[in-house]
Amino acid sequence: MAEIKNYTMNFGPQHPAAHGVLRLILELDGEVIQRADPHIGLLHRATEKLAENRTYIQSIPYMDRLDYVSMMMNEHAYVMAIEKMLNLKVPIRAQYIRVLFDEITRLLNHLLWLGCHALDVGAMSVFLYTFREREDLFDCYEAVSGARMHAAYYRPGGVYRDLPDHMPQFQNTRFSRPNVTHKLNENRQGSLLDFIDDFANRFPKHIDEYETLLTDNRIWKQRTVGIGVVSPERAIELGFTGPMLRGSGIEWDLRKKQPYEVYDKLNFDIPVGVEGDCYDRYLVRIEEMRQSINLIKQCSKWIRVNPGPVISDNQKYAPPKRQDMKEDMESMIHHFKLFTEGFHLPKGEAYAAVEHPKGEFGIYLISDGANKPYRLKIRAPGFAHLSSLDEMTKGHMISDLVAIIGTQDIVFGEIDR
Amino acid sequence: MTDLKKISTNIKKILPEYPIYLQFDEITLSVPADDVSKVLKKLKTMSQLKFEQMIDLAAVDFSEYPQKNYENCRYAVVYHLLSLKHNSRIRVKAFIKDNSFPLIETITSIYANADWYEREAFDLFGIMFLNHPDLRRILTDYGFIGHPFRKDFPMIGNIEMRYDPSQKRVIYQPVTIDPRNNVPRVIHDEGFRNG
């Protein structure tokens, strides 16, 4: 009989379970993985280099396109780094709005992750349900910024504008049935906050639906329990952050440990796992969604009763009101300077990080005093997670590899940058 | 976050020979490239410090930086460390002496996740990491020439790729677009805002 040796197999970059453009070179012994070598960079757009050639405000939309399933969180880290260097105070209402949208973004991300993870493992229906809820969250994005995904809503000094009083509604077309349109518009009669509250009230039931489909599902458990186990010590060593670290049982969340914005005034819990396998990370993320709903409710309640400015009144860094520009020369000059030359950051360097749905998302800024960054380094959580893929998959089957890619919540926009 | 003063005094006690800067509530430790692994090992293991996680590794090309720093070094490698035990952060900046052949020791034996970060720094800046187990390009294309994040590398690149209908394959050719800069880079003099 012929001697059977290890053989290599190419996986991706166009594979539905590769979450975008992951290319893996797998060394296999039968169906058991001996070595996995991820080839990344197929989505490399040199965001950091582009940012060096643009003013600070011009780079905000690039941040949306990093992790394109949690858009506003990326902006958040970026504007926080700028605010840190400028020592720019953000109005309290803007801080609450940011937290509100951070948590909406966390839901967006976790819903996509849950749907795709379940789809990879073989549960088709969860995907359909999660995308139904994502649609409503995109509508929140659209109501506030005009864009469903790439919002560019956070600005240095606050947010672009206040929450709208009216929710955009579905219109009748010659293809739609009026009674259906009317039904779709039922929860869109009030303001954006009414819509968000309505969502927050019904969403926990939807999480229960997902859990009914998965949590005690025998097949789901067979595919995730004991797969991709990472010990707490190793998780720290490998640079894990976010749910990947918490899944291994380490209670570490920047929202609690190094609170930014108003997280220290809000009540929420940090879920942690025990075993450090795919199933525990699944449970951690499900519980995080419940906590996010909790946070959304608290923020919405506060925002309702506390009107006020949503962007800094320092016109060196935040644009003046449209009204003022018509009458006030000074405002017009500020507006002109801000959108031609842009503002300048003091010489120095700063690092700001947020608790992104995937982990710690950080921005390291070096400024030489110009109107553009000298160097911008993006710390993407997925990069550290994916670099451990080899270690996590060693000795597992190919089908487990798919579960591990799913549990790492990989998005190439941020890994390749 | 624990008190910055406490951490910086602890660092001064353990590593007295290196300068410490405090800016924007962050600690920066500046070290020569040769001492990096020694310093990081101490920062990781000493119980008063315990920076057990490497959060980020960034390479920087200082060739166009207006102020000359630290013996005119062109390249620096910047490590961001996090201590989960003490809830604190530190930035370690290692300046590399040699501008033509930047070489620094790898820290993969200290922090396992440095592997890919160092590959990235090698790919984008051409910094060589001594004793790195697998120093290959990571982000750029197979067969890419040059190090794109160096300041002397044009933003639009040197070559472009397109499908050639006559040859019926994808070909590489020199870039056909012109660099465009709509907003000039401006640095104001000291005291500009004060009139």
Side-chain angles (χ1 to χ4, degrees), chain B residues 36-44 79 81 92 107 111:
Chain B
V36 157
S37 53
K38 194 181 85 189
V39 169
L40 291 185
K41 211 168 268 172
K42 271 190 179 164
L43 287 173
K44 190 185 176 186
Y79 307 87
L81 309 179
V92 179
I107 57 154
Y111 296 103

Side-chain angles (χ1 to χ4, degrees), chain A residues 199-395:
Chain A
F199 180 82
N201 285 331
R202 69 187 146 87
F203 188 64
K205 283 198 208 80
H206 294 313
I207 304 180
D208 294 341
E209 281 174 18
Y210 314 144
E211 287 218 78
T212 321
L213 286 167
L214 296 174
T215 305
D216 292 323
N217 184 326
R218 195 150 40 106
I219 306 169
W220 176 255
K221 277 186 145 177
Q222 279 168 356
R223 292 294 303 274
T224 54
V225 174
I227 305 295
V229 180
V230 183
S231 71
E233 299 77 33
R234 201 59 196 158
I236 294 175
E237 180 74 27
L238 290 169
F240 282 12
T241 45
M244 294 289 287
L245 186 62
R246 290 193 284 275
S248 295
I250 292 173
E251 194 197 334
W252 180 264
D253 189 317
L254 291 182
R255 292 176 294 171
K256 276 266 192 241
K257 301 287 177 182
Q258 301 176 3
Y260 50 95
E261 309 299 1
V262 288
Y263 277 114
D264 47 349
K265 295 179 191 164
L266 301 169
N267 283 324
F268 62 101
D269 297 322
I270 312 173
V272 290
V274 181
E275 304 289 336
D277 57 2
C278 291
Y279 188 68
D280 275 22
R281 288 188 281 269
Y282 155 76
L283 292 177
V284 164
R285 286 186 173 113
I286 289 282
E287 185 54 32
E288 268 183 26
M289 286 207 270
R290 294 188 194 277
Q291 296 298 328
S292 286
I293 283 293
N294 197 354
L295 283 164
I296 286 173
K297 281 183 180 165
Q298 291 173 48
C299 288
S300 154
K301 200 173 149 198
W302 191 94
I303 294 168
R304 266 175 203 282
V305 291
N306 291 286
V310 293
I311 193 159
S312 162
D313 57 359
N314 187 340
Q315 300 190 342
K316 295 270 184 269
Y317 310 114
K321 283 203 184 73
R322 198 91 199 151
Q323 188 72 42
D324 295 345
M325 277 159 49
K326 310 276 185 199
E327 297 156 358
D328 182 19
M329 191 66 196
E330 190 87 345
S331 296
M332 215 177 109
I333 297 168
H334 274 130
H335 181 268
F336 178 74
K337 283 304 263 185
L338 195 60
F339 287 103
T340 52
E341 187 183 307
F343 54 77
H344 294 244
L345 253 57
K347 272 199 193 78
E349 51 193 342
Y351 177 82
V354 294
E355 184 68 29
H356 189 274
K358 294 182 172 58
E360 176 178 329
F361 185 92
I363 295 282
Y364 173 45
L365 259 182
I366 300 180
S367 166
D368 55 355
N371 51 349
K372 301 170 178 183
Y374 184 79
R375 168 102 167 96
L376 176 81
K377 173 72 169 68
I378 299 154
R379 195 274 169 191
F383 191 77
H385 296 159
L386 188 63
S387 71
S388 71
L389 188 75
D390 179 40
E391 190 174 320
M392 282 175 80
T393 54
K394 203 163 274 176

Side-chain angles (χ1 to χ4, degrees), chain B residues 113-183:
Chain B
N113 63 328
D115 182 351
W116 274 29
Y117 286 100
E118 289 182 351
R119 278 177 68 185
E120 185 195 326
F122 161 70
D123 187 0
L124 303 177
F125 288 89
I127 293 170
M128 308 300 278
F129 289 89
L130 194 66
N131 298 329
H132 188 282
D134 184 21
L135 201 62
R136 283 176 294 157
R137 285 185 179 273
I138 185 164
L139 288 176
T140 51
D141 197 2
Y142 304 110
F144 189 87
I145 297 165
H147 300 289
F149 278 23
R150 287 184 174 183
K151 287 283 176 183
D152 50 11
F153 193 92
M155 193 180 65
I156 56 165
N158 291 323
I159 51 165
E160 67 183 19
M161 202 166 95
R162 70 171 172 92
Y163 178 73
D164 186 27
S166 61
Q167 296 179 51
K168 291 194 173 166
R169 65 183 181 92
V170 172
I171 58 161
Y172 291 90
Q173 63 185 32
V175 280
T176 51
I177 51 171
D178 294 318
R180 192 177 59 150
N181 189 0
N182 293 336
V183 185

Side-chain angles (χ1 to χ4, degrees), chain A residues 233 236-238, chain B residues 43-45 49-54 81-86 110-111:
Chain A
E233 299 77 33
I236 294 175
E237 180 74 27
L238 290 169
Chain B
L43 287 173
K44 190 185 176 186
T45 48
L49 303 172
K50 274 277 176 213
F51 289 100
E52 64 248 278
Q53 193 170 39
M54 195 196 75
L81 309 179
L82 172 71
S83 162
L84 283 83
K85 193 180 164 210
H86 299 293
I110 307 168
Y111 296 103

